[in-house]
Each structure stands twice: as structure tokens, then as C-alpha cells.
Amino acid sequence: MSELDDLTRAATIGGDGTAGGARSAVAALPWLFGAIADDRAAARFDAWGRSTVIDENTGSPVITRALFDELHDRAGLDQEWPVGNAGLLHCYGYLLSLTETPYGLKRDRWIEPALAEACTLPRDAFSPWRGGPTLLTRATAAASALLRSPAAGAARTVEGRESRVALSATRGPAALAYEVAPATGAEPLLVTMFPVGDADAVLAEFIADPRLRWNAV
């Protein structure tokens, strides 16, 4: 059985909504609970802000409450459903989501090569079971680098908090990184990273309609 098959099986187990299913789902993937433990020990989740598991497109949770709780407990993070740590949810929670969205499965950004290629990285740069640095480590580095040196980007103040978007290209397919300050006057924290098909259109919408986006809280 391939790693992707193992992941799908674990996500199905975790999707039963029970605490036991959530524990079994994470325990079934040694690379996953190992990565979360490593990131917890290194305080890597601190670079990420807050996100809701309620998808803005579907209006429904992308993982169960039990999985949400299990992941945050393993990461040693405070949480209050449905809002949790964006890095934990967008990297590891999305891997365990089988909820269909208009853009496919949430895990696709890490499994498929589009995001890595848009970042001019090897096709498997974000493979979650790849050896070496954790997925969160790799995503943090790539998103931070993009926000420092975007091909296109913009900043807006939303609810008194600075939000920034960065894109790896001015038009066409691109990688997008997004960060939002947790409070007025605070430095922005990472929220998400994913591939887009039309960089110019995404940036124009961000500029024209300032609001919290991409499940940021």
C-alpha cells in the first residue's frame, strides 16, 4: 500500500467523528505524529496565526471536532473549536481532510506538484512523508521566503490588523502565501500557502475587497 493509500485510510478512520478514531488516524501515520512532536519541541507553530476549520467555500468543517482536538493536543496548543493554529490545520489537518471543495481536496496542495513547481522547488518538495525537515518546516520556509521577495503582492489593513499576500508570479499559475497580524500593531503571522491558477485575478480581488481571507481569523 502506498503512502497516499495509507493517508486516505487514516483520514477515513479519523472521519468517524470519535476520539478513538482521531487517535487511531494519527497513530496510523508515524511520519505524521513524529512531525507534530518535532514541530512542538521546536516551537514552530508559533510562526503561524489563527484559522477556522470552517471552509469559506463550503461553509462546513474540513475535519471533525475529534481530529481538531487530537491534533491540537498532540501539538500542545490551546484551541477553541472551530478556531485553531493555522500551521497545524493547514499543513497537518488538511492532510486528514476528505471534504471536497470547489478546488479539490485540501491535501492536494501538499501531495500534488503544482505548489512546489510554482515555488521553483523539486516536485516532491512538500511531500508530507518525505524524509528530513517536517512539512511545517518546509512550508514555513517557502511561505516566508515568498513573502519577503514576491513577484507580486499587496498589503491591506483589515479590522485594524495588517494582512499581506504574496505571489510567485504576476500572472498565470503561482504560489500564494498569506499572513495576518493577530492584533493591531503586531507583526503578521503566516496563515496559509497554496497554488493559484490566475495570480493577477487573485491579487486584484484581494486589493479590491479588503477582508480576512482563506479561513484566517
Side-chain angles (χ1 to χ4, degrees):
M1 183 176 290
S2 71
E3 289 91 345
L4 183 55
D5 290 335
D6 289 343
L7 177 59
T8 300
R9 180 174 177 274
T12 301
I13 293 170
D16 71 359
T18 68
R23 286 193 298 271
S24 296
V26 179
L29 302 168
W31 53 264
L32 176 58
F33 66 73
I36 294 173
D38 190 60
D39 292 331
R40 174 179 180 170
R44 296 189 187 106
F45 296 108
D46 293 352
W48 294 75
R50 308 288 281 175
S51 175
T52 175
V53 295
I54 308 300
D55 184 70
E56 63 185 32
N57 293 294
T58 67
S60 60
V62 297
I63 58 173
T64 66
R65 171 70 181 270
L67 268 175
F68 176 93
D69 290 342
E70 177 69 16
L71 290 171
H72 281 85
D73 285 348
R74 284 182 177 266
L77 297 170
D78 293 334
Q79 46 74 30
E80 186 173 349
W81 172 267
V83 176
N85 181 269
L88 180 68
L89 293 173
H90 287 233
C91 288
Y92 302 130
Y94 282 6
L95 290 176
L96 293 169
S97 174
L98 294 177
T99 301
E100 289 285 351
T101 76
Y103 305 101
L105 295 177
K106 291 287 192 179
R107 71 185 187 188
D108 289 348
R109 70 190 64 184
W110 310 123
I111 304 296
E112 297 181 355
L115 178 60
E117 291 177 338
C119 293
T120 64
L121 295 170
R123 289 168 59 88
D124 67 343
F126 298 116
S127 173
W129 40 79
R130 176 180 173 176
T134 67
L135 172 59
L136 186 79
T137 302
R138 287 174 273 148
T140 301
S144 298
L146 180 53
L147 283 155
R148 287 194 302 269
S149 302
R156 288 291 182 270
T157 299
V158 181
E159 301 174 6
R161 299 150 58 193
E162 185 176 7
S163 67
R164 302 172 186 162
V165 67
L167 293 144
S168 63
T170 57
R171 57 179 53 86
L176 178 149
Y178 178 56
E179 61 181 2
V180 176
T184 301
E187 284 297 312
L189 297 174
L190 297 171
V191 172
T192 195
M193 186 180 195
F194 56 90
V196 299
D198 188 345
D200 183 57
V202 170
L203 184 60
E205 183 180 357
F206 177 85
I207 293 171
D209 181 18
R211 58 183 172 86
L212 293 180
R213 294 176 177 273
W214 303 304
N215 302 325
V217 173

